[in-house]
Amino acid sequence: MRQRPQFVFCHTRGRMTHFDLILKNGRCVLPWGVETADVGVRDGKIAAIGDLRTSEAAETIDCAHLHVMPGLTDPHVHLRDPGDPAVETMETGTRAAVLGGITAVFDMPNTAPSITSKAQLDWKRGYAAEHSWCDIGFYVGAGKSNIPDLAALELEPNVCAVKVFAGSSTGDLLVEDDASLEAVMRSGRRRIAYHSEDEYRLQERKPLYAAGGPHRLHAEWRDVECAFLGTRRLMALARKTGRPAHILHVSTEEELGYLRDFRDVASVEVLLNHLTQYGPEAYDRLGGYAVMNPPIRDKRHMEAAWRAIADGTVDTIGSDHAPHSREAKERPWPATAAGLTGVQTLVPMMLDHVSAGRLSLSRLADLLAAGPARIYGSVGKGRLAAGYDADFTLVDMGAVRTIEESWIASPCGWTPFAGHVCHGWPVATVVRGKAVMREDTVLGAPAGRPVPFAETHRV
Ligand code: DOR
């Protein structure tokens, strides 16, 4: 018999309290540990955690066999809107998110066109109000031509960060030279998110691979030194300017070791893909469906990423959800489009890693809820605690389920994890007190809101 905690925090004493929603009797992944409790929701916020047997609610969800996690954020998605609706839209990408147990996403700016101006950001914020199933934050892209605008752009509401592509990838965003990178860093003060690969080394090495060959050459072209050199350059500039940096998708053992000495200026993201797949096996099995930037590397790097999860080097995990058409993924390398879908499979796959004993549910909540809130400064998110947004990911750790492409909501229709058997599955997604997904069914209409961030939040 599990012990139920006796404490209860309610606004009304001595009378029957009423909630909009009660999550009953779940194993709650609280910031201070995992406890069996009820969670009461009122007006979209967590109003009580404890024993609510004597309380009433308009809706009750029986969580007796479930874990109640704080709403999980995917801080790294490319929703491709505006772009090619046959591949992805904001509506389909956020539908995928809530089907996969994600309550908020932070969306990258390398759309077509890229989001680099206030006018484009305004458009996207307005558009999101009608097209997003989950809450959503926005990156603004840095380019050499908009450096003078970045100070104002980073202080626009709902901007999670300025994103810098210091090495080229999909789209036209690129700031590769030290003088421009330093100017970007000196433009403002919030933490900047970087795609860290050294552009000069990428371009130097490109002709060596012009003749093409097997997909595994992707990791030789964009080699360990491309990423490591990119990160060393960024760290030198971050220290020089004092500007905080978030290094996205850190993919090498070398960078993970190095970044431990830069915790004063640097935070660290790793990707599910780099924790799960390794070369040459992934390239031989998946061909173009293993190609991404920075590349999937050999097992040594995957093992280092797990050690960095265990010792706290890693602050957040992202999916780097980056859909492309099947046609673009099946082009012979090096013409293969780089990027893998992932927002819908991030939570199931991470739960499977939990079941395999690679991390705890508490650490997962730290990486996908508290971590993004701490690094980007989102307000009211990332913590299963009274007064915070009533965002929850309900998880059945006893479920055993195979990832199937027929389940994928993104119109491109593929996942590199097809056929993977997951032990643990997200069975419901609750955003600000409203269930938006239960048992594979998306409920209601898109009602996601832009995420507020502390630096720009007006009360
Ligand atoms: O593989 C990638 N794909 N890496 C990136 O940095 C961008 C992304 C995309 O947008 O396709």
Side-chain angles (χ1 to χ4, degrees):
M1 245 301 263
R2 284 168 179 163
Q3 282 290 311
R4 290 171 62 89
Q6 291 308 301
F7 58 85
V8 58
F9 308 107
C10 292
H11 295 311
T12 325
R13 279 180 197 279
R15 284 191 286 127
M16 168 112 43
T17 43
H18 190 88
F19 298 99
D20 302 328
L21 169 68
I22 291 180
L23 305 180
K24 197 116 207 87
N25 215 11
R27 294 287 288 158
C28 297
V29 183
L30 302 168
W32 49 87
V34 181
E35 296 177 4
T36 301
D38 306 322
V39 181
V41 172
R42 201 181 293 121
D43 298 330
K45 305 267 191 221
I46 298 170
I49 300 172
D51 185 343
L52 304 181
R53 270 177 292 194
T54 59
S55 301
E56 288 183 332
E59 186 188 355
T60 298
I61 300 179
D62 178 8
C63 297
H65 302 292
L66 304 178
H67 281 85
V68 179
M69 299 195 69
L72 301 179
T73 294
D74 186 341
H76 192 155
V77 302
H78 300 263
L79 296 182
R80 306 279 193 239
D81 209 337
D84 179 359
V87 168
E88 187 72 294
T89 63
M90 188 182 286
E91 192 278 322
T92 56
T94 56
R95 175 186 288 265
V98 300
L99 282 166
I102 293 290
T103 58
V105 293
F106 297 167
D107 186 30
M108 287 292 173
N110 59 332
T111 41
S114 297
I115 303 295
T116 52
S117 70
K118 174 157 163 44
Q120 286 158 330
L121 181 65
D122 284 342
W123 170 81
K124 199 165 177 177
R125 274 189 295 226
Y127 181 81
E130 290 181 358
H131 294 86
S132 187
W133 286 93
C134 60
D135 287 352
I136 180 164
F138 308 103
Y139 290 91
V140 288
K144 286 184 210 161
S145 57
N146 75 345
I147 295 174
D149 307 329
L150 292 176
L153 282 172
E154 75 164 3
L155 294 179
E156 281 293 318
N158 317 117
V159 168
C160 57
V162 167
K163 164 76 182 278
V164 175
F165 283 89
S168 51
S169 193
T170 304
D172 56 8
L173 291 172
L174 182 63
V175 183
E176 76 277 41
D177 62 288
D178 280 8
S180 304
L181 286 166
E182 183 170 340
V184 170
M185 291 185 198
R186 293 201 187 279
S187 71
R189 60 194 168 84
R190 290 181 70 189
R191 188 175 294 277
I192 297 175
Y194 293 97
H195 180 116
S196 174
E197 288 183 286
D198 184 85
E199 179 66 11
Y200 301 104
R201 188 172 169 91
L202 291 187
Q203 295 306 338
E204 246 168 57
R205 295 170 64 77
K206 211 171 185 177
L208 304 178
Y209 299 95
H215 294 96
R216 68 174 76 165
L217 290 178
H218 196 65
E220 268 187 38
W221 166 39
R222 302 177 86 113
D223 66 355
V224 168
E225 181 58 12
C226 272
F228 191 23
L229 176 58
T231 294
R232 292 198 307 274
R233 284 180 51 212
L234 288 173
M235 286 301 97
L237 291 168
R239 277 261 169 88
K240 183 176 174 191
T241 59
R243 184 79 186 261
H246 186 51
I247 306 297
L248 299 163
H249 43 45
V250 177
S251 61
T252 67
E253 180 178 19
E254 284 77 351
E255 289 167 282
L256 289 164
Y258 185 78
L259 285 165
R260 289 187 186 113
D261 292 330
F262 287 86
R263 297 311 302 232
D264 53 328
V265 283
S267 52
V268 172
E269 176 195 79
V270 297
L271 300 184
L272 167 69
N273 301 81
H274 293 133
L275 288 165
T276 310
Q277 294 163 325
Y278 53 89
E281 188 277 334
Y283 295 103
D284 294 347
R285 186 165 49 87
L286 297 166
Y289 294 97
V291 171
M292 60 177 295
N293 301 327
I296 289 168
R297 306 189 189 279
D298 65 40
K299 217 173 187 174
R300 157 171 97 81
H301 302 285
M302 185 180 86
E303 287 166 357
W306 280 111
R307 286 197 300 278
I309 295 276
D311 73 10
T313 302
V314 178
D315 295 286
T316 66
I317 294 178
S319 72
D320 197 355
H321 177 72
H324 292 277
S325 68
R326 286 187 192 268
E327 179 278 318
K329 293 302 286 177
E330 288 169 12
R331 282 178 212 146
W333 192 84
T336 319
L340 304 175
T341 61
V343 71
Q344 194 169 338
T345 45
L346 176 62
V347 176
M349 289 295 298
M350 285 309 301
L351 293 176
D352 193 49
H353 285 307
V354 169
S355 294
R358 297 188 185 102
L359 77 171
S360 66
L361 275 180
S362 290
R363 178 66 169 129
L364 187 60
D366 181 50
L367 290 160
L368 288 179
R374 184 180 76 249
I375 298 305
Y376 294 89
S378 46
V379 173
K381 301 282 184 201
R383 198 168 161 87
L384 212 178
Y388 279 72
D389 284 0
D391 297 338
F392 309 105
T393 302
L394 305 187
V395 161
D396 181 355
M397 290 309 290
V400 181
R401 181 165 162 180
T402 305
I403 292 176
E404 285 163 10
E405 287 192 333
S406 58
W407 175 65
I408 294 297
S410 301
C412 66
W414 55 269
T415 163
F417 299 113
H420 190 99
V421 179
C422 292
H423 292 77
W425 198 266
V427 295
T429 308
V430 179
V431 178
R432 284 172 288 96
K434 294 267 180 294
V436 294
M437 184 281 283
R438 284 189 78 171
E439 306 285 354
D440 277 355
T441 304
V442 168
L443 304 167
R449 285 193 199 152
V451 173
F453 292 89
E455 295 270 355
T456 59
H457 185 50
R458 315 259 182 284
V459 185

